[in-house]
Amino acid sequence: MSGFMHGRKKKKRTDPKSESAELLEQDENFYFIAGYTDWGFPYGITWEEYEAEQRGESRKTAAAGGEPMKELKLTKQQLQEIVDAYDMYIEGIESFLNIETGEVVTLRTLDRGEEDEELSEIIEEGFHEIYFRIPERVSDEGYADMMDFAATIEDTKLHSKLMSILSGGKRIFRRFKDALSSDSEQLERYYRFVEEQNRKRVSDWLESIEVKLILE
């Protein structure tokens, strides 16, 4: 084997939960080094893979009645801010939720100023402990909402028109809303429908990061 392997710095894991863990061979990239390639490069379980597995075990423990989920008390306005951040995509802007306070903060990823750099440091320091990046609503979810809503339309003519739009073509979202605009009541009902779906998705996301939503 090459000298690369022998010159690589190694460290031992210091986890009091497992005495046998001291026998693991590790480095800054791998939680467990299973072996080395012919060129001296290590392979095995990375720290990211190990930590992801641990987070999964934590969620299983919570679901099985172990450590309770963190409770986050929000006003309706605070929940709406999270839903709005989830539903809005602006290139170069990311939104984060402070699970201690319920505050939503936005961070510019392009053309950062001094305030953005300071906020970035704060978020990085508390990432996955206090601050969690709010996911963005994907187009597949929007399409699913239109399909589900169209199924509730009793007007045969309007239903047929909506299904024709959803069958394909360009600017489906815009054409769908334009078709509904002829009936202001149905258009308003559609907006309420999507809003409720987004609230459910936000609630599911919070649960996935082990946070229980409590509306005040």
Side-chain angles (χ1 to χ4, degrees), residues 94-128:
E94 293 182 347
S95 297
F96 294 83
L97 172 65
N98 183 323
I99 63 170
E100 298 288 343
T101 65
E103 178 188 12
V104 174
V105 297
T106 56
L107 178 67
R108 289 190 298 179
T109 58
L110 303 173
D111 300 322
R112 284 186 178 181
E114 185 176 338
E115 291 185 1
D116 294 297
E117 293 296 343
E118 292 177 358
L119 178 58
S120 178
E121 291 180 5
I122 294 173
I123 291 174
E124 185 175 352
E125 185 177 346
F127 193 58
H128 278 182

Side-chain angles (χ1 to χ4, degrees), residues 25-27 29-37 41-50:
E25 185 177 356
Q26 303 172 316
D27 65 13
N29 297 315
F30 287 88
Y31 163 74
F32 168 61
I33 297 176
Y36 294 85
T37 68
F41 293 101
Y43 60 86
I45 301 173
T46 66
W47 283 101
E48 289 80 5
E49 292 169 338
Y50 169 72

Side-chain angles (χ1 to χ4, degrees), residues 23-143:
L23 301 176
L24 295 180
E25 185 177 356
Q26 303 172 316
D27 65 13
E28 66 275 11
N29 297 315
F30 287 88
Y31 163 74
F32 168 61
I33 297 176
Y36 294 85
T37 68
D38 291 339
W39 293 95
F41 293 101
Y43 60 86
I45 301 173
T46 66
W47 283 101
E48 289 80 5
E49 292 169 338
Y50 169 72
E51 290 167 0
E53 181 181 353
Q54 291 300 104
R55 288 194 295 271
E57 289 300 321
S58 296
R59 283 194 286 272
K60 290 178 183 178
T61 300
E67 184 178 348
M69 298 175 70
K70 177 179 178 59
E71 294 184 348
L72 176 61
K73 295 182 180 180
L74 297 174
T75 64
K76 289 184 178 180
Q77 181 178 351
Q78 286 177 309
L79 175 58
Q80 189 61 50
E81 289 178 359
I82 301 173
V83 172
D84 288 343
Y86 170 80
D87 192 37
M88 179 179 63
Y89 170 75
I90 300 178
E91 186 176 3
I93 297 291
E94 293 182 347
S95 297
F96 294 83
L97 172 65
N98 183 323
I99 63 170
E100 298 288 343
T101 65
E103 178 188 12
V104 174
V105 297
T106 56
L107 178 67
R108 289 190 298 179
T109 58
L110 303 173
D111 300 322
R112 284 186 178 181
E114 185 176 338
E115 291 185 1
D116 294 297
E117 293 296 343
E118 292 177 358
L119 178 58
S120 178
E121 291 180 5
I122 294 173
I123 291 174
E124 185 175 352
E125 185 177 346
F127 193 58
H128 278 182
E129 292 181 3
I130 299 176
Y131 286 97
F132 285 78
R133 185 175 183 276
I134 299 174
E136 298 162 357
R137 183 171 180 252
V138 297
S139 59
D140 286 350
E141 292 172 339
Y143 183 81

